[in-house]
Amino acid sequence: MDEQEASERIEELRQQLRYHGYRYHVLDEPEISDFDYDQLLRQLIALEEEHPLLITPDSPTQRVGGPIGDLFAPVRHLRPLFSLDNIEATSELDAWGSRLRRGLGRPAEGFSCELKIDGLAVVLTYEEGKLARAATRGDGVTGEDITANLRTLKSIPLRLLGKPPRLLEVRGEVYMPLRAFEELNRRQTESELRIFANPRNAAAGSVRQKDPGITSGRDLGIWIYQVGLLEGGPPLARHSEQMAYLSELGLRVNPTSKAVSDLEEVKKFLLEAEKKRHDRDYQTDGVVIKVDLLADQLELGYTSHAPRWAVAYKFPPEEQVTTLRDIQINVGRTGAATPFAVLEPVQVGGATVTYATLHNEDELRRKDVRISDKVIVRRAGDVIPEVVGPVVSVRTGTEKPWSMPAKCPFCGHPIERPAGEKVARCTGGFECPSRVREWLFHFASRGAMDIEGMGYKTIDLLLREGLIDDPADIFLLKPEQLLGFEGWGEVSVANLMKGIEAARHRPLQRVLVALGIRHVGGTVARLLARRFHSLERLMSATPEDLAGVEGLGQVIANSVRAWSLDPDNIALVKKLADAGVSMADEEPQAGPSSDLLAGMTLVVTGTLESMSREQAESEITSRGGKAASSVSKKTVALVMGESAGQSKVSKAAELGVPVIDEKQFLRVLSEGLDALS
Ligand code: IVH
């Protein structure tokens, strides 16, 4: 390639990278996979290395990070943050090893291998051991001040342990655990709010909030992976020693990091890390390999955009482009019709993906996904595969927009979306087999009756053979009805029977969840069970009785009332009771509940979901405890609800008072303070 051709190709690559960078960072609607983006970037880097005179300051290779927003005050980092050069194969690792040897005049002495966490890079500054500032990475030189938000993360110490250094700047990655991500999206869907594309976006969205109360309500973690600047600390010769030191100071350092002596061992680490990548509670997208000896790092130095002493090994992509063959719908237990994608099967992150979620009708509209589109499919760990969006640039014009079918594909009844409602529903009621199947599955599931062995496979068999029509039929099953079906021997039948037997005696709260009353999830069910103790009493409660239950809004009260009056539900409840299913809890003894919290002071801040502040305080006092309004040394725990008071949270962190969430608080109320250990 001559200079002229190179120049043209470079310009072309830059334009493509700018466009895709904009789609990714600004619009959050990428058209190509991360992998393809990296390929383009690598081509550009290679060409620029061959033709250094063609490098311009505005080339995408010269930028360290994303643009900084204007929502937060700018913070200049004490030391700039660089990117990392990527490698994709172990041969490239050997090539890096050779470069190191050339640079040092001898092989590097030891490496640190670390998981590359897929989250949001942040910088924490500690002055005299106190958290002085937290910032996003920004463009690498200047970031955004997010101190108030990051102070709410329990895994970030506000004060370092032991004898702290005079000044410490560390870098780390804030992430959202996978479970928390799914739970957040579920809640967002329920509240008809924006859905996050992946845990990284969810973490970024949670951190870049004007209201720290929102950040504090999100489950976020952090892994610290680098010292930016350390003054007035012990002399340390290696990166791995620095990490051990940070860990002693109380900073969260990933325990899977490993110091090894040569590249052969690095390769073993890479294989292990890739094999286990889905076993973790957070997303990783590769492994970072660093030269361990700090003197060697200094000698090797930096290129214009990355250190020479570190590289990132990227796992194979978990995003692929494939064809969207069709969009079909599921009908859930409430009749809600939700679209999903049927794909040309494609390998993503080590699994074949044929179906992917499109979340809901509005989301599908927003993304403008059409049948026959080329779409980006993403799979992240345990997270259900999803369609990220269409690749608009390769459309041929034959793609067909989708619309919700007029009739339910399972029962033929009309699908309707009442004005003002977010979801379309099948109107077939219990004549819809899909709805009945989902209803049975929900009834038997973990948070509800928890019937061991009653998954989709069993339910499908029972429905197909006409052995059950509704949940009560489950309790009328006889072993001999099942024996002899394929895969059903004495042992499996006996196990299922045992599971069913156990489910006859679930607490009322679970029965209420299992019945699937609209708006009645675990928290509301607990309130109702605590107030009424039996289903009979709940069902005959007047609207006033219901409205009088603390924490219960009008919408829920109406829903419970309507459910209780429905003849089908009355019949079902009778059938369940006749089948020997427990429909009441034993009533608690009157008087003070216990002295479980005798002599202990707790402070409640913010709003709790399941009870009001006053109620929480009376729960504490009825157990012999004291509910105070400010945190002191005597406080045994600070209960933090939504929009908690920042000063209380900081004070607690300063005094080393445990900060607990609502779930933990409820456990403390039933088990005492031992629940925290
Ligand atoms: S070290 C100069 N270590 O990857 C070295 N980075 O492409 C700076 N990252 O922005 C980075 N896990 O957000 C390092 N164990 C780890 C990492 C890690 C994730 C991210 C980091 C950085 C990006 C580099």
Side-chain angles (χ1 to χ4, degrees):
M1 202 183 285
D2 67 24
E3 200 76 2
Q4 179 60 33
E5 282 167 353
S7 163
E8 280 167 17
R9 178 72 186 135
I10 284 179
E11 208 29 62
E12 191 183 351
L13 284 167
R14 284 179 187 162
Q15 265 181 22
Q16 288 178 352
L17 285 162
R18 278 191 202 111
Y19 172 71
H20 292 300
Y22 169 76
R23 303 257 350 159
Y24 183 90
H25 290 291
V26 182
L27 299 184
D28 194 18
E29 279 169 7
E31 273 182 15
I32 59 173
S33 65
D34 288 359
F35 180 76
D36 291 340
Y37 181 89
D38 285 348
Q39 295 294 343
L40 293 175
L41 188 64
R42 287 156 70 88
Q43 283 180 36
L44 180 60
I45 292 174
L47 272 175
E48 287 185 345
E49 268 167 15
E50 269 174 51
H51 306 273
L53 289 177
L54 295 176
I55 299 180
T56 55
D58 64 346
S59 169
T61 58
Q62 306 301 301
R63 185 213 287 282
V64 191
I68 35 167
D70 50 11
L71 212 56
F72 299 90
V75 177
R76 222 182 142 81
H77 304 308
L78 298 178
R79 292 283 180 275
L81 281 79
F82 286 77
S83 313
L84 288 174
D85 278 331
N86 291 337
I87 58 171
E88 269 151 30
T90 45
S91 60
E92 293 184 296
L93 188 65
D94 291 328
W96 179 58
S98 310
R99 289 202 298 279
L100 294 178
R101 188 166 331 135
R102 273 200 304 278
L104 295 168
R106 56 170 171 77
E109 272 179 51
F111 301 92
S112 173
C113 303
E114 301 166 6
L115 296 179
K116 187 166 186 298
I117 316 295
D118 195 10
L120 175 80
V122 299
V123 180
L124 308 178
T125 310
Y126 286 89
E127 291 168 2
E128 304 293 350
K130 280 196 208 149
L131 178 66
R133 228 165 3 268
T136 62
R137 171 189 182 182
D139 65 2
V141 176
T142 310
E144 300 167 307
D145 189 333
I146 48 166
T147 315
N149 294 343
L150 286 204
R151 287 174 74 90
T152 67
L153 261 70
K154 290 173 205 146
S155 47
I156 297 182
L158 298 178
R159 203 183 256 254
L160 297 175
L161 303 175
K163 187 177 170 299
R166 196 166 55 246
L167 182 62
L168 175 67
E169 188 181 80
V170 292
R171 291 105 186 238
E173 202 85 355
V174 170
Y175 66 92
M176 183 173 285
L178 294 176
R179 300 260 158 276
F181 166 68
E182 288 187 350
E183 175 60 21
L184 174 64
N185 262 356
R186 202 185 55 69
R187 269 192 281 138
Q188 296 283 108
T189 312
E190 249 169 38
S191 319
E192 303 181 353
L193 294 171
R194 125 163 219 236
I195 289 158
F196 294 100
N198 53 43
R200 173 165 31 86
N201 283 4
S206 304
V207 164
R208 294 186 76 261
Q209 282 287 344
K210 263 295 175 207
D211 174 8
I214 296 187
T215 312
S216 78
R218 303 269 168 89
D219 188 355
L220 297 167
I222 190 168
W223 294 117
I224 303 292
Y225 52 69
Q226 191 75 28
V227 168
L229 187 66
L230 170 61
E231 283 177 7
L236 298 168
R238 292 180 173 270
H239 169 78
S240 53
E241 290 171 4
Q242 286 185 328
M243 292 303 107
Y245 173 60
L246 295 188
S247 187
E248 279 169 30
L249 291 176
L251 290 163
R252 199 151 175 262
V253 176
N254 195 294
T256 59
S257 300
K258 194 173 174 192
V260 302
S261 58
D262 57 36
L263 290 182
E264 287 315 304
E265 286 187 63
V266 169
K267 287 177 195 167
K268 277 189 211 146
F269 187 93
L270 297 184
L271 282 178
E272 251 333 88
E274 199 165 329
K275 212 162 66 195
K276 293 196 183 139
R277 78 180 287 204
H278 295 307
D279 301 350
R280 305 182 203 289
D281 183 31
Y282 45 89
Q283 275 191 315
T284 56
D285 55 354
V287 172
V288 181
I289 307 137
K290 299 171 183 169
V291 168
D292 202 27
L293 210 53
L294 299 178
D296 283 358
Q297 290 189 359
L298 208 63
E299 187 158 351
L300 289 160
Y302 296 79
T303 66
S304 61
H305 60 276
R308 291 197 185 84
W309 46 265
V311 284
Y313 168 79
K314 294 277 242 177
F315 293 144
E318 293 209 293
E319 281 180 1
Q320 284 297 349
V321 173
T322 188
T323 306
L324 178 66
R325 279 186 177 164
D326 197 7
I327 295 175
Q328 297 180 357
I329 60 167
N330 276 321
V331 171
R333 80 184 155 85
T334 63
T338 44
F340 67 91
V342 183
L343 306 163
E344 190 75 46
V346 62
Q347 281 287 117
V348 193
T352 307
V353 175
T354 316
Y355 302 103
T357 174
L358 287 160
H359 295 297
N360 58 46
E361 203 183 341
D362 288 346
E363 191 65 11
L364 189 157
R365 281 274 134 65
R366 195 181 65 74
K367 289 180 178 164
D368 185 23
V369 183
R370 305 179 189 178
I371 295 171
S372 305
D373 258 338
K374 292 271 181 233
V375 291
I376 301 172
V377 178
R378 173 156 46 203
R379 179 173 165 262
D382 293 342
V383 180
I384 307 158
E386 63 159 353
V387 172
V388 179
V391 185
V392 178
S393 51
V394 299
R395 275 198 178 142
T396 60
T398 56
E399 296 78 11
K400 279 201 286 312
W402 177 84
S403 56
M404 184 61 83
K407 285 200 167 108
C408 173
F410 300 98
C411 67
H413 285 85
I415 290 180
E416 284 169 9
R417 181 172 170 177
E421 292 248 337
K422 281 259 170 177
V423 282
R425 285 176 207 277
C426 159
T427 52
F430 296 126
E431 281 169 39
C432 179
S434 173
R435 197 171 163 173
V436 170
R437 174 176 187 257
E438 297 296 336
W439 181 39
L440 289 164
F441 181 76
H442 165 82
F443 184 87
S445 68
R446 201 53 95 59
M449 297 303 258
D450 195 8
I451 307 179
E452 186 91 31
M454 190 65 79
Y456 280 119
K457 233 174 117 191
T458 309
I459 291 171
D460 286 342
L461 172 80
L462 297 175
L463 283 172
R464 202 170 50 237
E465 297 297 332
L467 296 177
I468 59 173
D469 287 324
D470 66 37
D473 290 334
I474 294 173
F475 297 96
L476 302 173
L477 282 171
K478 302 264 173 310
E480 51 281 13
Q481 292 178 293
L482 282 163
L483 278 169
F485 286 124
E486 207 191 312
W488 288 91
E490 299 270 352
V491 178
S492 42
V493 171
N495 282 340
L496 182 64
M497 288 298 146
K498 223 163 75 193
I500 293 172
E501 195 45 44
R504 272 186 231 274
H505 315 287
R506 298 286 181 227
L508 181 60
Q509 182 200 340
R510 284 177 169 243
V511 178
L512 288 172
V513 172
L515 288 169
I517 307 168
R518 200 162 173 207
H519 302 303
V520 179
T523 311
V524 174
R526 190 174 51 242
L527 293 177
L528 292 172
R530 227 196 278 162
R531 170 71 178 74
F532 296 102
H533 306 295
S534 83
L535 200 61
E536 199 187 334
R537 246 186 276 169
L538 169 67
M539 291 178 85
S540 52
T542 63
E544 294 75 45
D545 289 342
L546 287 166
V549 179
E550 271 275 355
L552 215 68
Q554 197 54 52
V555 176
I556 303 176
N558 289 346
S559 163
V560 171
R561 179 88 183 128
W563 184 89
S564 305
L565 294 176
D566 184 321
D568 284 346
N569 295 329
I570 296 171
L572 175 69
V573 167
K574 181 167 184 312
K575 192 167 165 190
L576 281 166
D578 290 347
V581 178
S582 159
M583 295 281 157
D585 283 344
E586 281 185 24
E587 302 211 14
Q589 301 300 313
S593 319
S594 66
D595 54 1
L596 209 53
L597 300 175
M600 298 179 196
T601 306
L602 285 89
V603 176
V604 183
T605 176
T607 354
L608 302 181
E609 232 178 81
S610 61
M611 59 183 103
S612 67
R613 175 98 56 90
E614 295 77 80
Q615 230 178 335
E617 291 175 355
S618 90
E619 296 282 7
I620 295 169
T621 46
S622 75
R623 285 165 179 76
K626 189 173 159 224
S629 58
S630 63
V631 177
S632 74
K633 269 196 309 226
K634 275 192 280 175
T635 313
V636 296
L638 172 66
V639 183
M640 183 166 91
E642 198 79 37
S643 313
Q646 270 319 293
S647 59
K648 284 185 189 141
V649 178
S650 314
K651 188 79 189 278
E654 221 168 272
L655 295 172
V657 170
V659 179
I660 63 177
D661 61 16
E662 182 164 355
K663 236 197 296 169
Q664 289 170 304
F665 176 53
L666 293 171
R667 288 231 313 274
V668 167
L669 289 181
S670 63
E671 297 162 35
L673 226 54
D674 289 349
L676 296 183
S677 53

